[in-house]
Amino acid sequence: MRVAINGMGRIGRLLFRRLLNQEGIELVAVNDVMPVDNLVYLLKYDSLYGPLHKPISREDGLIAVEGKKVRAFQEEDPLRLDWKGLGIDMVLECSGRFSSRAGAEKHLKAGARKVLLSTTGSEDIPLLIFGFNQHQLDASVDIVSPGGCMTNCSTHILYLMQSIGIESAHFNILHSYTSRQELVDTAHPQFRRGRAAAESIIPVEIDLVKSLDRLFPLKGQLAAMSIRVPVTNGALTDVTLQMKEEVSREQVNAIFKKAAESNYASVLDYTDDELVSADIKGNTHSLIIDGSLTSVVGRQVKLIAWFDNEYGYTSRMLDWLHYWKAML
């Protein structure tokens, strides 16, 4: 499979690093408006995951990494990219700018065969969560949204707890600050997002419920918010569920422990260890249920799930590449 990445932000750069070691998948090209010298520097040195322990350099429109050469473009419009000439099977659309069908289709018109978003796209793009409904993919689908990191975490919680029966669920996602926030106070359409990210605990608006409503028949029974906290990596989902019948803490933990030991092993983990956010950096799972923090009062259940919002999410995108590759 020949792959290109459009948009070299946090997710795009982490995918670049990880695609260097994926058997049967060749990273052919990347596109971002930033100067290539700056991109090479950011690929070489990463404040979260450390330096790239491979020689990397720029060579006349190419990025050379340990004998491999990747084309580097700086086009704002994907229609100007010659994906057909490069034989691109899959574009990983990581810019955040082309998440509508009309936007993502620009890559198809440029000659790519398929497009995988790095976010939840518009409602006319299939929303397929790996480990939940990826089997709905068929050969006719050319653009897929794999959801976001919060959707991937929340989906599996809802699905597994539905085995008991859910009346309502409220998700509170404590999330590391992101590039959509500011380092110092400034103007922003969402006033709180304009406050200094490393100085405050900041509630922000999210569209998680819109995504979950597309996946579950629970419309009007779900609510969600996110609170950004002053750490650079990691997230914690604090979910309160009102169940249709009384349950025990042991019963709830047993559901997730069994899932982690069977079909869900690649996307879900379970632990009773007393974790903090630093402990999940580099974890490949979409969620790690912290059984030590599960609590139950009558029919009300509180669950805590950790996830690395970058490494866990890119792990699912790599899963998608291998899964889709088998269909091409």
Side-chain angles (χ1 to χ4, degrees):
M1 176 184 272
R2 293 172 64 81
V3 173
I5 303 173
N6 187 60
M8 296 299 289
R10 292 295 309 156
I11 297 299
R13 295 198 299 273
L14 187 52
L15 282 167
F16 183 106
R17 284 180 163 213
R18 301 189 69 186
L19 283 168
L20 296 175
N21 303 308
Q22 296 296 311
E23 185 175 350
I25 298 176
E26 180 185 2
L27 179 59
V28 177
V30 299
N31 181 54
D32 196 285
V33 295
M34 80 170 81
V36 179
D37 285 343
N38 199 166
L39 175 56
V40 169
Y41 172 78
L42 291 173
L43 288 168
K44 185 174 184 179
Y45 298 108
D46 189 285
S47 297
L48 293 180
Y49 298 106
L52 178 67
H53 297 294
K54 298 177 186 291
I56 182 171
S57 61
R58 176 185 178 178
E59 296 181 6
D60 296 327
L62 298 169
I63 298 175
V65 187
E66 205 175 43
K68 299 178 181 179
K69 295 187 178 181
V70 179
R71 294 285 299 272
F73 299 102
Q74 292 177 279
E75 294 288 353
E76 289 193 16
D77 187 351
L79 289 174
R80 296 177 181 174
L81 296 163
D82 187 14
W83 294 149
K84 183 176 181 180
L86 291 171
I88 299 300
D89 297 305
M90 180 76 65
V91 172
L92 303 178
E93 171 45 55
C94 300
S95 71
R97 297 179 57 201
F98 304 100
S99 57
S100 68
R101 174 162 287 278
E105 280 181 341
K106 290 187 175 185
H107 294 296
L108 302 178
K109 291 176 180 177
R113 296 174 65 187
K114 307 287 184 180
V115 179
L116 180 65
L117 304 183
S118 68
T119 186
T120 300
S122 55
E123 292 192 9
D124 53 357
I125 296 174
L127 176 59
L128 302 177
I129 306 301
F130 199 87
F132 173 66
N133 64 345
Q134 77 275 5
H135 58 277
Q136 294 178 7
L137 179 71
D138 62 53
S140 67
V141 175
D142 50 19
I143 305 171
V144 163
S145 163
C149 59
M150 292 184 284
T151 307
N152 275 262
C153 175
S154 305
T155 294
H156 302 302
I157 292 174
L158 285 178
Y159 178 69
L160 289 168
M161 291 302 286
Q162 272 193 321
S163 63
I164 301 171
I166 298 170
E167 288 187 352
S168 64
H170 195 133
F171 290 88
N172 183 11
I173 316 289
L174 282 73
H175 196 292
S176 52
Y177 60 81
T178 72
S179 61
R180 293 177 63 192
Q181 294 173 256
E182 303 292 343
L183 288 178
V184 297
D185 289 356
T186 189
H188 195 287
Q190 295 181 26
F191 292 175
R192 288 189 176 109
R193 281 188 186 266
R195 301 298 300 279
E199 293 294 327
S200 290
I201 297 170
I202 302 176
V204 300
E205 300 173 15
I206 57 173
D207 58 2
L208 176 60
V209 169
K210 290 183 180 179
S211 299
L212 296 176
D213 279 344
R214 294 171 61 184
L215 299 168
F216 295 96
L218 293 169
K219 194 171 183 65
Q221 298 166 259
L222 304 176
M225 65 180 298
S226 180
I227 296 178
R228 300 297 163 86
V229 293
V231 297
T232 54
N233 178 256
L236 179 156
T237 295
D238 176 347
V239 56
T240 301
L241 302 115
Q242 187 71 18
M243 308 304 295
K244 291 184 177 179
E245 60 185 65
E246 289 194 5
V247 294
S248 68
R249 179 175 182 271
E250 291 73 21
Q251 181 184 358
V252 171
N253 280 348
I255 289 172
F256 289 98
K257 190 172 184 180
K258 180 180 179 181
E261 294 171 349
S262 55
N263 295 340
Y264 274 74
S266 64
V267 298
L268 183 154
D269 199 8
Y270 174 91
T271 185
D272 287 309
D273 292 347
E274 297 182 3
L275 301 182
V276 297
S277 61
D279 300 325
I280 53 96
K281 184 167 70 172
N283 192 296
T284 61
H285 294 92
S286 296
L287 67 161
I288 305 100
I289 294 291
D290 192 328
S292 70
L293 296 175
T294 301
S295 61
V296 175
V297 178
R299 292 188 294 119
Q300 189 175 87
V301 175
K302 180 175 284 293
L303 282 169
I304 300 297
W306 301 93
F307 60 96
D308 182 324
N309 47 290
E310 295 182 5
Y311 213 87
Y313 185 68
T314 55
S315 296
R316 297 294 77 74
M317 292 188 71
L318 295 178
D319 285 343
W320 266 115
L321 287 180
H322 289 286
Y323 186 82
W324 216 342
K325 176 176 176 286
M327 300 181 67
L328 293 178

